Amino acid sequence: MTEHLNHFIAGASAEASDGRRIDLISPVDEKTYGSCARGTAQDVNRAVKAAHDQLEGGPWSQLTGAQRGQLLLRLADLVERDAEQLADMDANAIGRSPMEPRRMDLPNVLANLRASSGWANQLEGRTIPTGGYFGSKTLSYTVREPIGVVGAIVPWNSPLMITVWKLAALLAAGCTVVIKPSEETPQSALHLAALAKEAGFPDGVINVVTGYGAEVGRALCEHPDVAKISFTGSPEAGREIQRTAGVLFKRVALELGGKSPQIVFDDASFDDALRGCALGLFVNQGQICASGSRILVQRGIAERFAAALADAANAINVGDPREADVQMGPVAKKAQFERVNRYVQLGIDQGATLLAGGVSNPEQGWFVRPTIFANARNDMAIARDEIFGPVGTIIAFDTEAEAIALANDSAYGLAATVWTTDLVRAHRVAAAVKAGAVGVNCWSPLDANLPWAGSRPAASAVKAGSVARWPIPKRRSSPYCYLAEVETVTPSTFGTVP
Ligand code: NAD
């Protein structure tokens, strides 16, 4: 099947202004299976205008919170109707097993849409006690307003889920949006926008402009009518976006990468820790921001644990993910394939012990062998850098203090996992590890009600980490992130200014 995908602007399909297109290539056989419009600054202008018009007196701006919530619920029902189709779109585009987005991403998408629908009617301002105005008492209050048009820039690894983390919250807040999906995975965002139209969202509230980051993404960052950029992706792109959007003093939320530790103590349930580490390492071919790729194991069990994880890696059937007995497909794109291989070679060159996998050289498709390194050090490239592939690095430690120090010796601070049956230690270590989310005896639970953000100080985030979005509360997708707080101060009498 050849897919011919266009932008979705003001409720209608649109070609790129100059007619140019981007090929969509299957990671399974490297064949072109379709194309999408290669967006231009002119296309972005059209989409932003449609979104802006809705806020400036358009039908969307007239809706109550309850009505916005109702639309979100309708959208959730339509997404549920098309859930398998949406999951398969995301899976096929990056060569992922369709069972993963069906079981993990789509339930989270539905939960987010439904949770946000409840927020839409609950977004309140504040009354603030103030000291008075030249002797006259004051009534001071704030009103919360949608901040405006949001530019939502999304990566390829879980396209629909990450789009909805942004979309559900910003719609609940009353904003409008121009979504820029990854150039590899535009399908599900376009389908979602069409479902929103079917649900009754006014045309122009949700727009999708497909294309490259340096063209469409950049044009969104530079557009004066885009109030906020909500970005998920690599630290390198995040840094550039911060710089570009900063010139216009836009709000920017950056959800960046990770090199998350999984700390396995010798009192942990060995089998649970093994299953959890394998899941955190190999799901989505390791292409997950919270991937638990730095595995710190207490020395007494380190050798046995490494051998068992290598066995688990060797038991994975790698192949065409559409086949029933295949557990792992290829990595998403050629650049990713080359990056993973480069790091595997670096691990070998820097002296880590290769227990499973190795440099991959498939005949066709970007297939990578699940790879385990043992006897690694935390200063090796395979322990410091985000590889974004199925490569695990095992480092042994002796004491709890050493485990915490190793876990925190990283430029990243997105997530961590602690495996132990000692309840007191679990809480102690969870508190000491510098990460935005810590799982105890579970790797990276997804829940629409949980916050999601990195916790590194700005200095290391500038190097390569995750930056917490703000303002508080930092729920995974809090509508408060998409609101402005406007203040009013009223003295109780006139004419009191001396
Ligand atoms: P990427 O940074 O290459 O691209 C992400 C998006 O940004 C794409 O849509 C891309 O076209 C666009 N883009 C790229 N450069 C841009 C620029 N200069 N201006 C504007 N837009 C630009 O990242 P990727 O390869 O798609 O995704 C992998 C990265 O995303 C990893 O680092 C991963 O950890 C991170 N990620 C983070 C989270 C999180 O929640 N923290 C979730 C998923 C992925």
Side-chain angles (χ1 to χ4, degrees), residues 315-453:
I316 293 172
N317 190 8
V318 180
D320 185 333
R322 291 162 297 194
E323 289 172 16
D325 60 339
V326 166
Q327 285 110 23
M328 187 185 280
V331 294
K333 49 184 180 174
K334 187 158 183 258
Q336 203 55 34
F337 174 79
E338 288 165 353
R339 178 185 173 87
V340 176
N341 263 345
R342 203 165 52 246
Y343 274 102
V344 173
Q345 188 60 54
L346 262 176
I348 296 167
D349 294 347
Q350 293 184 348
T353 308
L354 183 67
L355 290 186
V359 173
S360 302
N361 191 15
E363 279 178 14
Q364 190 185 47
W366 300 316
F367 295 94
V368 167
R369 295 152 71 197
T371 296
I372 298 293
F373 283 107
N375 302 317
R377 292 189 321 272
N378 207 39
D379 62 355
M380 291 177 173
I382 53 170
R384 300 212 76 76
D385 298 348
E386 181 183 46
I387 300 174
F388 225 53
V391 181
T393 300
I394 299 177
I395 300 170
F397 68 85
D398 289 302
T399 63
E400 182 182 308
E402 190 187 352
I404 292 167
L406 282 168
N408 288 342
D409 179 16
S410 171
Y412 295 96
L414 188 60
T417 313
V418 184
W419 296 95
T420 179
T421 49
D422 179 337
L423 184 65
V424 177
R425 165 182 274 167
H427 290 293
R428 196 169 53 224
V429 176
V433 169
K434 291 187 171 63
V438 182
V440 174
N441 297 324
C442 62
W443 170 77
S444 199
L446 283 180
D447 191 298
N449 288 327
L450 285 172
W452 185 247

Side-chain angles (χ1 to χ4, degrees), residues 153-157 180 183 213 231-234 237 256-257 289 386 452:
I153 303 179
V154 181
W156 46 262
N157 64 331
K180 206 297 276 175
E183 49 275 28
F231 168 78
T232 303
S234 63
L256 307 177
C289 54
E386 181 183 46
W452 185 247

Side-chain angles (χ1 to χ4, degrees), residues 189-211:
L190 289 164
H191 192 76
L192 184 70
L195 291 182
K197 185 178 170 83
E198 187 181 340
F201 281 87
D203 292 345
V205 172
I206 300 168
N207 307 276
V208 181
V209 179
T210 61

